[in-house]
Amino acid sequence: LTRAKERASSKSSIQGPWKSPAQAILKLPFISDPLATRVSQRVRKYSPDVRLVFTSGQSLKQLLVRSSFCPRVCPRDVQRAKEKRGRGKPMVCRACDAGMKNGECVKKNVVYCMSCVVCDELYIGETERPVRDRFQEHFRDAKARAVRSPWGAHYKHEHPEVTVCATNFQPFCCAKILGREASLPSRRY
């Protein structure tokens, strides 16, 4: 409590819905209503300028482990397996078409680099989803010339004569993964 008071007095410009601007906030885990009431009474009695905030513990969603029974695979790998059995139609993986190494298109939490095949302009992006999904969005935006997207705007303004076609298997850009980072700030900066 004394450290919380010291922090509150050093931050005298704090404003909020509570009583005084020099009030400190102390976060404690919520256990039960009677215990929270007793702790609140004691803190108010000995240190009225400290505001208590009770936080809940981990939710069931946070406690459950998210897992997949089978790992994600590139559609090309699925296609190869189907072709061995003599069935299936050709499947497209735009990320693999653009030069990603085998299996890289399903990686998550990556920083990637894409370069235009017409003018070699570079674009560096990040995604927490599989690269293949993000790459498909870039392809769709380039094909539609969507100005809200970097690749759509690039193809609309720089290469209006170039046709990005779904049936044409020529890549509209070259891509590679620069690195993997699980946290968003690490990927962005």
Side-chain angles (χ1 to χ4, degrees):
L1 289 176
T2 56
R3 273 190 254 146
K5 281 184 183 180
E6 288 170 5
R7 269 191 256 131
S9 62
S10 68
K11 297 179 182 177
S12 60
S13 63
I14 297 175
Q15 297 295 320
W18 43 90
K19 298 173 190 169
S20 68
Q23 195 171 40
I25 298 174
L26 181 62
K27 287 186 180 181
L28 297 173
F30 178 81
I31 308 290
S32 66
D33 283 327
L35 183 61
T37 304
R38 285 178 43 209
V39 170
S40 296
Q41 289 171 349
R42 295 262 168 97
V43 169
R44 262 189 254 121
K45 179 179 177 182
Y46 295 108
S47 186
D49 57 338
V50 173
R51 179 174 180 232
L52 280 178
V53 175
F54 291 97
T55 59
S56 62
Q58 288 186 324
S59 66
L60 182 60
K61 181 179 179 181
Q62 293 167 335
L63 292 173
L64 292 175
V65 176
R66 183 177 169 195
S67 64
S68 176
F69 291 118
C70 50
R72 290 184 70 146
V73 294
C74 176
R76 289 229 170 122
D77 295 337
V78 173
Q79 176 61 31
R80 287 184 198 116
K82 285 183 177 180
E83 284 174 356
K84 285 181 183 176
R85 292 185 300 235
R87 58 188 167 144
K89 61 178 186 171
M91 298 184 89
V92 177
C93 180
R94 304 250 181 250
C96 290
D97 285 342
M100 293 250 172
K101 295 176 187 162
N102 190 20
E104 279 192 335
C105 65
V106 294
K107 288 186 177 178
K108 296 180 177 183
N109 299 316
V110 299
V111 177
Y112 59 92
C113 175
M114 298 168 66
S115 62
C116 178
V117 293
V118 180
C119 66
D120 290 331
E121 185 172 324
L122 289 178
Y123 170 77
I124 297 176
E126 59 84 21
T127 183
E128 68 178 351
R129 298 178 295 137
V131 177
R132 179 180 181 278
D133 296 348
R134 185 66 183 114
F135 200 87
Q136 185 63 29
E137 290 171 359
H138 285 305
F139 177 81
R140 183 191 63 226
D141 292 338
K143 183 180 171 192
R145 307 289 204 258
V147 182
R148 62 178 166 74
S149 156
W151 280 108
H154 175 76
Y155 271 84
K156 181 174 184 170
H157 299 298
E158 303 295 325
H159 312 298
E161 74 285 352
V162 175
T163 303
V164 180
C165 182
T167 59
N168 182 3
F169 292 110
Q170 295 295 326
F172 72 104
C173 67
C174 296
K176 66 179 177 179
I177 292 177
L178 299 176
R180 292 184 76 181
E181 277 296 332
S183 68
L184 178 66
S186 298
R187 282 194 313 269
R188 290 224 171 140
Y189 305 107

